[in-house]
Amino acid sequence: MNPVDRAIDRIRSAISNDRHLGVQLYASVDGETVVDEAFGEGSPGTPLLRNDAVPWICSTKLLGAMAVSQLLDEHGMSPGAPVAEIVPEFGRNGKHDVTIAQLMSHTVPYAIDSEAAFHTTDHKTALASLCATSLSAPPGSRPQYSPFGSWIAVAEWVGRLSGVPYEEYVHRDLLSPLGLRHTVLGTPEPGTADEVVPLPLYGWEKDPVEGEDAPDLVPFSFLVGHPSVGAHGPAHELARLLECLVQDGEVKGHRVLRPGAVRTIATAHRSGMVDGYFGGLDVSWGLGACVDPILFGAPPGSPVVGHTGTNCGIAVGDMERGLVVCHLATNKSFQGLGPGRLESRVVRDLYGLVR
């Protein structure tokens, strides 16, 4: 069985076993599409289509990574620059030395038990809460994955340095140049509103129990427009971000990032830190993107860049082999972290294309 057929069989089996509602799968090698299909349902009773706008969840952070790297390159700045140089109020309460690299590699140990205060699309309120937050340890001294808070600072940094709101910058300098007509962060751009209807993410009302009927799926909106988790789009458009990185900043002959900006994202800014959020793994991070194959199911030592979405997706590109894989599900599963997850197994299947 060829790698694509093996991956598709795996996805269809997962859907038929009631662990997934629907999945979009895209893969390419050196920019050439090898699979772009949708399976199952976008919502109960409605087939999932390949152009449906599925929640990207934390893979939304790749937009912030690209935006920041563009601006660093444009202004001749280093990832080691303090965030407070551009957003002075962020430096309050011991955060004045936090660098852009630390902010975007999840090594800012905020002195909080949860990020509930940042779990909002009210940007001004979230920013004020973030600026008022202190640290529990020196910046860069230990890992602390920030699902929401740090990207509030990223959005403000991008807005102030570019002179336009973050959402506008993303649409103007990333989504439009990349040709992503079915992707939205916040309010759809004029001319695309009829095409982009963000789907909710579905979750089980309780953990599935072996031997019992599958519990009901319940929908919830995942902070549409939030700079950390709020993008929606099809798998083949999320994959375009990775194709841009893998092809050194170009997509179909059009340059979006200069090579230096690509290197800024794909270079490890953090390693050698055991991360409790990721099951005690030592996960290497670039600028706003994971660069460690262990999180994606890629072969050890693979030079990868990408992100995962909470229990529902993977978007990853191999910088040497030219392979890009994007797997987006319409519901959260309960498979735990690690190589046994459906999307990680799909990635391993599709590496058969480039071995």
Side-chain angles (χ1 to χ4, degrees):
M1 184 181 295
N2 70 50
V4 172
D5 288 342
R6 186 178 300 113
I8 288 173
D9 278 0
R10 195 181 297 282
I11 289 169
R12 285 178 170 152
S13 176
I15 291 172
S16 66
N17 289 330
D18 292 323
R19 286 298 182 266
H20 280 82
L21 180 64
V23 170
Q24 291 175 337
L25 176 66
Y26 175 91
S28 64
V29 179
D30 295 331
E32 296 297 322
T33 302
V34 294
V35 60
D36 182 9
E37 295 189 38
F39 310 91
E41 299 174 324
S43 58
T46 303
L48 178 65
L49 306 178
R50 58 176 293 277
N51 281 332
D52 282 344
V54 177
W56 289 4
I57 313 302
C58 284
S59 291
T60 299
K61 293 178 174 66
L62 292 171
L63 293 172
M66 295 178 75
V68 170
S69 70
Q70 274 183 327
L71 289 166
L72 288 173
D73 186 69
E74 178 184 335
H75 291 271
M77 298 174 66
S78 163
V83 179
E85 281 188 3
I86 304 300
V87 187
E89 62 270 38
F90 176 79
R92 297 171 188 159
N93 299 308
K95 301 192 299 300
H96 50 86
D97 291 331
V98 172
T99 68
I100 296 164
Q102 290 164 347
L103 185 77
M104 301 183 71
S105 64
H106 303 288
T107 56
V108 182
Y110 301 114
I112 52 177
D113 294 325
S114 78
E115 294 206 349
F118 317 133
H119 195 269
T120 174
T121 54
D122 182 344
H123 180 74
K124 288 185 178 180
T125 299
L127 179 63
S129 296
L130 181 65
C131 293
T133 300
S134 59
L135 301 182
S136 61
S141 64
R142 63 176 176 83
Q144 183 170 319
Y145 186 77
S146 178
F148 309 105
S150 286
W151 257 249
I152 296 295
V154 166
E156 188 67 15
W157 188 94
V158 168
R160 294 195 189 184
L161 195 57
S162 68
V164 298
Y166 179 73
E167 180 183 313
E168 181 179 338
Y169 183 92
V170 166
H171 279 279
R172 185 192 70 188
D173 290 67
L174 294 175
L175 300 186
S176 181
L178 288 166
L180 307 188
R181 288 189 50 81
H182 301 280
T183 294
V184 61
L185 178 70
T187 305
E189 286 286 277
T192 65
D194 293 337
E195 302 176 32
V196 181
V197 179
L199 295 180
L201 185 68
Y202 286 80
W204 301 107
E205 65 176 3
K206 62 179 181 178
D207 288 8
V209 177
E210 187 175 354
E212 294 185 2
D213 291 338
D216 291 335
L217 286 164
V218 292
F220 58 95
S221 176
F222 216 92
L223 295 172
V224 173
H226 194 288
S228 180
V229 295
H232 291 67
H236 62 87
E237 294 199 353
L238 174 55
R240 194 82 55 85
L241 306 184
L242 280 307
E243 288 174 339
C244 179
L245 297 178
V246 165
Q247 295 172 61
D248 213 21
E250 288 192 6
V251 173
K252 302 187 184 302
H254 179 72
R255 179 159 297 283
V256 178
L257 298 177
R258 293 199 295 195
V262 173
R263 287 193 296 272
T264 297
I265 295 171
T267 297
H269 296 282
R270 158 195 155 186
S271 60
M273 291 186 175
V274 174
D275 194 333
Y277 187 90
F278 291 102
L281 298 174
D282 172 8
V283 181
S284 296
W285 284 88
L287 193 81
C290 181
V291 295
D292 198 319
I294 196 170
L295 207 60
F296 302 108
S302 299
V304 297
V305 61
H307 218 290
T308 60
T310 308
N311 295 326
C312 60
I314 274 178
V316 61
D318 190 302
M319 301 296 285
E320 288 184 359
R321 298 175 177 93
L323 174 68
V324 168
V325 178
C326 186
H327 173 292
L328 290 178
T330 53
N331 75 281
K332 296 175 68 173
S333 66
F334 288 88
Q335 295 175 310
L337 179 74
R341 293 185 55 79
L342 171 64
E343 51 266 46
S344 294
R345 287 178 284 150
V346 166
V347 168
R348 285 199 297 280
D349 288 337
L350 292 173
Y351 256 90
L353 294 166
V354 293
R355 288 197 180 99

